[in-house]
Amino acid sequence: MELKHLAIRELLKNADETQATISNRGGPVDIQAPMAQRLFDTLVSAYGRRAALTHGSFTVEDPDSHPFITNFRQFISGTPDDSDFLSLCDVAMEQLAASLSSESASAATGGYVIFCHYSADVFDYLLVALVRDKNGVAFDGNLHPTQVIELDLDKLHQAAKINISTYKEGTDSYLSFIGTKRKGDITHYFSTALGCSDVVPARQATSELIRATEDFCRKNQLQDKQEAIVDDVVGYLSKQRSEKQSAYLPDMDEIFAQHIPPEQAESGTETFGSFANSEEYQVSHEFQPHTSTINNYTKIKAKADNWQLDFSKRSLGELNSTSDIQFDPNTNSLIIRRLPTKVVDQLREALDD
């Protein structure tokens, strides 16, 4: 990762106050300083560990009324220099102070706002994070314990990360932001100030969740349980949709826990929630299931006197299509293609008998 710009500012507000103010302290930080790089690395790592990210984009409703969005567009329109970066930070601080002063954020407190402009792999990012300090213990020159104040970087209270590269490409989802882990309880003042909106299409979130389910099974040697796990995930999504409820990633972890042996779960280093919430899949902590996408994964079950069928709708297609199971309306018959070797052997053995 290459750090391009770094700035630290301070928002002042106690929980019993109604007005947030911007401190005169802080400003640009020399990115060549060793501690600047360490701060940046720790911050990005802490953000990457969060498994309750909401993915989305800037609000599409009158985006020009959001000063941060307007200034962000100006910031990325050319090759931003230090002055452009600090101007963007100033606008963000003004919006954060205004949002933090709203009635809905009355219980919220201020903190240190860290702005990072950096590149990783082939992407450019802007990360804005609110952190607070905590009391720590250190030794003085005589090895006597003394109190120090240190940043609590492991506990990001609010943060938003914008993928500048994908934003320029015009994709649907190019930002993520942190909310709380309790269902339906996301603190909005931070994301509102930056114009963030949870607008990842329900179709995309649903299909990516199922794709992540299949990939997670393959990654963790759960292929023999994959079909059952996908069925449970689809069943959960169907239930939430029928009850007009959101789907939640922590519920997915509970589904996987029913299928993963305890010894394998203890040795695992990643939960499904964090896997699906990652940059590759971008499934939000909370999202609305998409009906037609769910229907594509539901099963067709049929039974006669001496046979029964049980397969996913997405496996079915018309005659001469690429689907594994094809329906021939002329003969009212099914053609099953690409049979696994094990099934072929069973069929041949049955015929030999």
Side-chain angles (χ1 to χ4, degrees):
M1 294 186 295
E2 178 190 357
L3 179 59
K4 298 181 177 181
H5 298 97
L6 176 67
I8 303 175
R9 303 290 298 277
E10 185 180 22
L11 275 175
L12 303 175
K13 182 181 178 296
N14 294 321
D16 56 349
E17 296 176 342
T18 58
Q19 191 70 28
T21 58
I22 303 173
S23 169
N24 292 325
R25 298 197 301 165
V29 177
D30 180 8
I31 61 174
Q32 302 301 324
M35 289 306 296
Q37 186 66 47
R38 181 176 176 182
L39 169 67
F40 163 65
D41 291 340
T42 304
L43 189 65
V44 172
S45 177
Y47 191 88
R49 290 195 301 270
R50 292 301 293 261
L53 298 177
T54 297
H55 296 273
S57 59
F58 290 132
T59 180
V60 294
E61 297 179 1
D62 193 16
D64 292 334
S65 66
H66 295 270
F68 178 81
I69 299 177
T70 302
N71 282 267
F72 173 77
R73 289 171 175 168
Q74 295 173 355
F75 174 72
I76 65 173
S77 61
T79 302
D81 56 20
D82 293 345
S83 177
D84 297 327
F85 179 68
L86 294 178
S87 295
L88 182 64
C89 295
D90 287 340
V91 172
M93 289 299 293
E94 292 170 2
Q95 295 305 302
L96 284 169
S99 187
L100 195 56
S101 301
S102 64
E103 183 177 351
S104 61
S106 59
T109 60
Y112 306 101
V113 185
I114 304 176
F115 298 87
C116 302
H117 176 214
Y118 67 100
S119 62
D121 298 325
V122 296
F123 300 105
D124 277 349
Y125 294 96
L126 178 69
L127 176 62
V128 184
L130 176 71
V131 300
R132 300 191 176 105
D133 52 30
K134 63 179 180 179
N135 293 328
V137 178
F139 293 125
D140 62 16
N142 295 316
L143 298 184
H144 293 155
T146 182
Q147 179 176 297
V148 295
I149 304 298
E150 59 184 35
L151 288 178
D152 194 1
L153 292 174
D154 288 332
K155 296 180 180 178
L156 296 181
H157 292 272
Q158 298 291 322
K161 185 173 77 169
I162 306 167
N163 188 322
I164 297 173
S165 301
T166 54
Y167 174 81
K168 289 181 176 180
E169 294 171 358
T171 59
D172 289 331
S173 178
Y174 44 80
L175 68 79
S176 57
F177 52 95
I178 289 177
T180 64
K181 293 186 178 181
R182 294 189 297 273
K183 293 182 179 180
D185 183 19
I186 293 178
T187 305
H188 291 285
Y189 76 84
F190 191 89
S191 57
T192 298
L194 303 183
C196 303
S197 177
D198 177 14
V199 293
V200 173
R203 179 191 298 272
Q204 176 183 330
T206 304
S207 62
E208 285 300 285
L209 176 73
I210 297 173
R211 183 171 78 92
T213 299
E214 296 171 338
D215 289 351
F216 189 83
C217 288
R218 286 190 285 269
K219 180 180 178 181
N220 293 275
Q221 290 76 52
L222 295 170
Q223 290 93 331
D224 58 329
K225 302 176 184 290
Q226 178 173 319
E227 184 176 354
I229 293 174
V230 172
D231 285 347
D232 285 353
V233 168
V234 172
Y236 165 78
L237 294 174
S238 299
K239 174 178 175 293
Q240 297 300 101
R241 185 62 180 170
S242 65
E243 296 177 358
K244 298 181 179 180
Q245 298 291 322
S246 297
Y248 300 93
L249 282 184
D251 293 343
M252 300 294 108
D253 287 329
E254 294 179 9
I255 291 174
F256 271 87
Q258 297 171 8
H259 293 275
I260 300 177
E263 61 276 9
Q264 186 173 345
E266 293 175 0
S267 62
T269 58
E270 184 179 31
T271 65
F272 173 74
S274 61
F275 181 81
N277 196 228
S278 66
E279 188 85 10
E280 180 176 354
Y281 304 99
Q282 297 190 0
V283 180
S284 293
H285 176 70
E286 174 184 351
F287 67 93
Q288 292 294 320
H290 186 256
T291 302
S292 63
T293 303
I294 295 171
N295 289 341
N296 288 336
Y297 284 87
T298 54
K299 290 200 167 186
I300 293 178
K301 296 184 178 182
K303 187 176 182 179
D305 292 337
N306 57 352
W307 56 261
Q308 60 183 12
L309 295 172
D310 183 347
F311 57 89
S312 299
K313 277 187 180 179
R314 60 194 173 99
S315 300
L316 179 64
E318 297 178 350
L319 185 65
N320 298 322
S321 67
T322 59
S323 299
D324 287 346
I325 301 176
Q326 300 176 11
F327 175 62
D328 184 350
N330 298 318
T331 60
N332 288 334
S333 60
L334 285 177
I335 300 173
I336 303 177
R337 304 169 64 244
R338 291 189 283 271
L339 290 173
T341 303
K342 183 178 180 180
V343 175
V344 172
D345 292 341
Q346 288 178 323
L347 294 174
R348 287 175 174 168
E349 182 179 342
L351 290 174
D352 290 341
D353 291 342

